[in-house]
Amino acid sequence: MDVEMERLERELQEFLADCGKQKFSDDEMRYICQPLVWHFRLATLKRWTLWFLLPILAVYLLWNYCDTCAWTASAVGRLLLIQVLPYWNWTPYYYNKCLIERAEPAGQHMEQSKTLGRHETLWENCALCESLDTIPTASNVSYSMLESEYLERGLPVIVTDCRLEMDLDTLLQRIQEKTPQLLSSEPCDLYSNLLLRHLFNIDVALEKIRDYQETPSTSPAWHLHFRNCDKRSVKASRVYGAKPYYYPKHLEPYYSSWLLMAHHMRRPLKEIYVHGLVFVQQLSGHFELRLRPKQPCDTDNICPNLSLRLVAGECLVFPTHLWRLSYGLQKPDSDQASIATLFEVDWEV
């Protein structure tokens, strides 16, 4: 390599000396040497590009095909972000769905100076429910029809032919055999008389219910509801919470799922906080549900409270922009448990 470089350097010096003898001007020399200059510049660019892309390619391959490397890099990145948090508050960028906000027309939403609370809605929405007396029913529907006729207007609707039914024994068997992620998960919302809260475990609670099923004559009354929040348990809940036939492919998967159960136990109406587009599917027995309008639509009887009994095979669909949900059980069935699933979907019209 050294011999080759010495030869090239000698030839270059001879070339420059020859050009000097011919007394070329600076402009002529630049014109003569331009191809050579561009050749060296291109070689330098290729070399720097190669050195720049190779590490990126290596990181990309390790991230996608080496789980240990990806997990380690993610952990190190999170630790670094925590360290820089006192100097740079990056949390708004983490929680925002879009980094670039969509511009609003001039003068629009001037009155929305404060963020709406979980029990508040825009006062303009009250016009949607002020003449509502009962919850409409529908069957043999498509999602586009539900959206255009009910959901976009903030109205709840009962779909009477969901055809999703399941008894307690089948539910327990499916959860036991096909959802180990659910049994080992920690629910983010829980209410039950089966165990003390600090002792609660989904697997243990369901085992108690199975024991009660074996001795129905002496089993006590019980109730249980819990909400799945982490992705693994939400995905596992699809085993017992199938999507209804009218659930469209373009709609996002539900980000949260609830399981509501009660057996031989009268339950007063209890409010649960839900957000987005809500699907309540009755799998067995029945529950009493109540939809209450949010503030300020609940003042001066602007909008009514809507009560209904949801029976097995039916589904209630509603957006939470206008309504608050409570459920209970006034007259328990003597021969079957009341079971319902509830899904929350991020929904923007």
Side-chain angles (χ1 to χ4, degrees):
M1 180 62 68
D2 292 340
V3 176
E4 185 69 19
M5 290 299 297
E6 291 177 359
R7 185 179 65 81
L8 289 175
E9 185 176 357
R10 186 170 59 253
E11 290 179 355
L12 182 59
Q13 291 175 351
E14 292 175 356
F15 170 74
L16 293 176
D18 186 58
C19 291
K21 292 178 181 179
Q22 300 186 41
K23 298 182 179 181
F24 289 127
S25 65
D26 292 342
D27 292 337
E28 289 174 332
M29 287 297 296
R30 278 193 292 269
Y31 179 78
I32 293 172
C33 297
Q34 188 175 23
L36 184 62
V37 171
W38 277 109
H39 175 77
F40 278 103
R41 288 179 177 176
L42 184 61
T44 303
L45 180 62
K46 288 181 178 179
R47 183 169 62 254
W48 280 105
T49 302
L50 185 63
W51 281 104
F52 179 73
L53 291 180
L54 277 178
I56 295 178
L57 179 61
V59 170
Y60 173 79
L61 294 175
L62 289 174
W63 182 271
N64 285 276
Y65 299 102
C66 178
D67 293 338
T68 302
C69 296
W71 185 90
T72 303
S74 177
V76 172
R78 292 181 181 182
L79 291 174
L80 291 176
L81 286 175
I82 293 173
Q83 294 300 319
V84 302
L85 190 57
Y87 311 100
W88 174 47
N89 183 17
W90 46 262
T91 53
Y93 303 99
Y94 177 80
Y95 290 108
N96 284 349
K97 291 185 176 180
C98 184
L99 296 180
I100 303 176
E101 295 185 0
R102 181 174 59 185
E104 298 288 354
Q108 186 174 353
H109 302 315
M110 294 298 293
E111 296 182 2
Q112 298 183 38
S113 57
K114 69 181 185 70
T115 303
L116 293 174
R118 62 167 57 182
H119 294 154
E120 295 178 318
T121 187
L122 299 176
W123 69 266
E124 295 92 341
N125 289 338
C126 300
L128 298 169
C129 60
E130 60 185 4
S131 60
L132 190 64
D133 296 324
T134 59
I135 300 178
T137 61
S139 61
N140 192 24
V141 298
S142 64
Y143 178 78
S144 60
M145 186 272 281
L146 291 177
E147 186 174 51
S148 61
E149 294 191 16
Y150 303 103
L151 304 180
E152 289 179 349
R153 299 164 59 199
L155 302 180
V157 58
I158 300 173
V159 181
T160 58
D161 60 345
C162 278
R163 301 186 292 271
L164 296 172
E165 299 185 41
M166 187 182 305
D167 59 28
L168 180 58
D169 291 331
T170 303
L171 173 69
L172 295 175
Q173 182 178 1
R174 287 193 181 183
I175 294 177
Q176 180 67 31
E177 296 178 353
K178 299 182 179 180
T179 60
Q181 302 91 339
L182 177 63
L183 295 176
S184 60
S185 66
E186 179 68 22
C188 50
D189 284 281
L190 171 69
Y191 194 69
S192 177
N193 66 341
L194 291 169
L195 288 166
L196 290 169
R197 181 61 184 92
H198 73 281
L199 299 177
F200 188 87
N201 177 277
I202 294 180
D203 194 10
V204 176
L206 296 182
E207 185 63 36
K208 277 181 168 289
I209 295 175
R210 278 190 290 269
D211 294 340
Y212 294 157
Q213 285 294 97
E214 294 178 359
T215 57
S217 59
T218 60
S219 64
W222 56 266
H223 66 88
L224 167 66
H225 86 223
F226 61 87
R227 179 187 179 212
N228 302 301
C229 296
D230 67 272
K231 291 183 178 180
R232 292 198 312 163
S233 60
V234 171
K235 186 176 181 179
S237 67
R238 298 174 188 173
V239 171
Y240 60 82
K243 296 177 181 178
Y245 69 88
Y246 50 84
Y247 198 100
K249 293 183 179 180
H250 70 269
L251 192 63
E252 291 188 11
Y254 45 86
Y255 69 88
S256 167
S257 65
W258 297 68
L259 183 60
L260 318 176
M261 298 193 294
H263 187 57
H264 290 176
M265 189 169 191
R266 184 177 179 273
R267 299 289 303 133
L269 287 173
K270 176 178 177 59
E271 182 173 346
I272 57 176
Y273 176 68
V274 290
H275 179 74
L277 183 61
V278 174
F279 296 79
V280 185
Q281 300 180 138
Q282 192 72 34
L283 303 182
S284 174
H286 71 276
F287 278 119
E288 278 79 32
L289 307 180
R290 176 176 294 173
L291 296 178
R292 297 169 54 197
K294 293 185 175 181
Q295 302 170 2
C297 304
D298 60 344
T299 58
D300 299 328
N301 295 320
I302 298 177
C303 294
N305 294 331
L306 301 175
S307 299
L308 69 144
R309 170 178 285 194
L310 200 66
V311 300
E314 292 182 340
C315 179
L316 172 67
V317 187
F318 69 96
T320 60
H321 299 78
L322 188 57
W323 303 101
R324 300 162 57 181
L325 174 67
S326 300
Y327 87 100
L329 185 60
Q330 301 300 318
K331 296 181 179 180
D333 292 317
S334 59
D335 57 345
Q336 61 180 337
S338 294
I339 307 172
T341 59
L342 186 152
F343 306 140
E344 298 173 85
V345 180
D346 280 326
W347 183 68
E348 295 294 338
V349 180

